[in-house]
Amino acid sequence: MRAFTYERAGDAREAAAAVAARPEAKFISGGTNLLDLMKLDIERPAHLVDVSRLPLDRIEDTPEGGLRIGAQVRNSDLAADPRVRSRYPVLSQAMLAGASGQIRNKASAGGNLLQRTRCYYFYDRNMPCNKREPGSGCAALEGFNRMHAILGASEACIAVHPSDMAVAMAALDGSVETISPDGETRTIPVGDLHRLPGTTPNVETELGHGEMITAVTLPPAPPGRQIYRKVRDRASYAFALVSVAAIVEASGGGIRSARIAMGGVAAKPWRAGEAERALAGATVSNRAYTDAAEAALAGAKAYGGNDFKIPLAKRTVRHTLAAAIERA
Ligand code: SF4
């Protein structure tokens, strides 16, 4: 591990300025991903700014009827909050599907959204990886790519984003609030926070250097039944092969509205807009679920080891929609 210096920030603006002042500085909160990466020499910050004790650890009701979740709220506290459990169950289910109890007790809401891919080659310094070392190539393209992307990938990188929370937040139309070193704040929809790889997979989000997430906000809960379904290699402590967050409003044999976001399929939570449009106004039927699944995966492309993910994702969309509608 590279030697680094450390400071504990006094407030959010000071933290942002401290990171912005040094090109090799990084924020640290729970450290559940960053410390692993530092031990492997993948992340090599020269300076860490600890934001874990900033007063950003509250969940508050907003005047509009939504929730404002401080960036330092722990994943377990977020999953257990009664307002989240009753009004945003898809988020609570997604949080509980991620990591282990110990990690959820440590990991922060902001850090969850910014965790990095678990692509095996990204973690192996002996292998080419454009995300870790731009221009070196992508070992996963011709390698072991069972976990990799089927939507939105490029020839430069086919990694997926590992966060379950981000998928639920995308379905709920959540946003992040940030602060920049000059004190400027802005709001970014979660669906726009992460970038697709294109030719620069090393640039993963829209955040500038020193820009810090201070909160995650949710609009009022949408009507309908919410479900998060995660398919993985073992029942706990595993990343998604495919996950689906579905929010469906149905009545009188018809589907009024639907939202679908997928995880484990792309470098960002993938909102399936075509599928949502196909479902709105459709009659409740297996045909409607199948048409939506086909629309959601219409642009999918696999790379050999992950060919199975396309039919798996279609089945998961179908079954999640059926569960949401039939339990509604
Ligand atoms: Fe690196 Fe992305 Fe290729 Fe994985 S998929 S080896 S993260 S460039």
Side-chain angles (χ1 to χ4, degrees):
M1 182 192 283
R2 181 188 190 186
F4 60 90
T5 51
Y6 169 93
E7 70 178 286
R8 184 172 290 158
D11 62 42
R13 184 175 177 177
E14 185 184 305
V19 168
R22 301 174 67 159
E24 293 186 302
K26 279 196 167 285
F27 299 111
I28 184 165
S29 179
T32 55
N33 187 208
L34 179 60
L35 289 178
D36 284 348
L37 291 165
M38 288 171 64
K39 288 176 194 169
L40 291 168
D41 240 7
I42 310 298
E43 292 269 19
R44 306 184 78 245
H47 186 66
L48 289 181
V49 178
D50 186 345
V51 297
S52 65
R53 300 196 189 182
L54 294 180
L56 302 172
D57 57 352
R58 291 172 54 192
I59 302 175
E60 300 165 304
D61 288 293
T62 65
E64 300 77 32
L67 283 183
R68 185 173 187 276
I69 300 154
Q72 294 306 320
V73 171
R74 301 292 125 180
N75 285 192
S76 353
D77 294 333
L78 180 54
D81 187 277
R83 293 161 293 183
V84 175
R85 286 167 58 97
S86 62
R87 284 148 57 186
Y88 306 97
V90 69
L91 177 58
S92 182
Q93 291 165 23
M95 303 301 299
L96 292 173
S100 65
Q102 285 171 313
I103 291 173
R104 291 195 295 269
N105 285 344
K106 190 77 181 148
S108 66
N112 187 314
L113 297 177
L114 298 180
Q115 61 180 300
R116 305 198 69 189
T117 185
R118 280 3 186 241
C119 170
Y120 335 102
Y121 303 108
F122 177 67
Y123 282 74
D124 184 347
R125 288 184 62 83
N126 296 309
M127 301 299 289
C129 172
N130 287 323
K131 188 183 282 295
R132 174 171 29 80
E133 193 178 330
S136 63
C138 171
L141 273 177
E142 303 288 333
F144 192 61
N145 51 36
R146 186 169 182 276
M147 295 288 291
H148 289 71
I150 51 175
L151 289 163
S154 73
E155 291 302 301
C157 180
I158 58 172
V160 298
H161 196 270
S163 169
D164 293 292
M165 175 186 172
V167 180
M169 293 293 301
L172 289 165
D173 283 338
S175 299
V176 296
E177 294 177 358
T178 72
I179 187 165
S180 292
D182 58 6
E184 285 289 310
T185 59
R186 66 170 174 153
T187 301
I188 307 169
V190 169
D192 296 337
L193 175 64
H194 303 93
R195 288 191 186 188
L196 291 177
T199 56
T200 55
N202 52 309
V203 184
E204 296 175 355
T205 71
E206 293 297 323
L207 301 180
H209 182 62
E211 186 174 7
M212 186 179 79
I213 295 177
T214 52
V216 185
T217 54
L218 290 171
R225 176 93 186 179
Q226 305 178 15
I227 289 190
Y228 187 73
R229 182 162 284 184
K230 179 174 179 177
V231 181
R232 47 188 160 173
D233 281 328
R234 57 181 181 231
S236 77
Y237 200 33
F239 293 96
L241 291 167
V242 170
S243 68
V244 174
I247 304 171
V248 188
E249 185 188 15
S251 66
I255 300 168
R256 296 167 73 101
S257 66
R259 300 186 194 183
I260 300 169
M262 292 185 286
V265 297
K268 60 187 294 181
W270 193 268
R271 190 78 182 257
E274 286 297 322
E276 294 176 3
R277 285 185 282 281
L279 283 167
T283 301
V284 171
S285 63
N286 286 331
R287 180 79 253 162
Y289 309 152
T290 299
D291 289 348
E294 292 296 328
L297 278 302
K301 176 183 176 186
Y303 297 86
N306 65 351
D307 290 354
F308 74 98
K309 270 195 175 188
I310 297 178
L312 176 66
K314 290 179 182 176
R315 285 199 302 276
T316 309
V317 169
R318 272 203 312 269
H319 290 170
T320 310
L321 287 171
I325 291 169
E326 283 154 26
R327 284 192 220 157

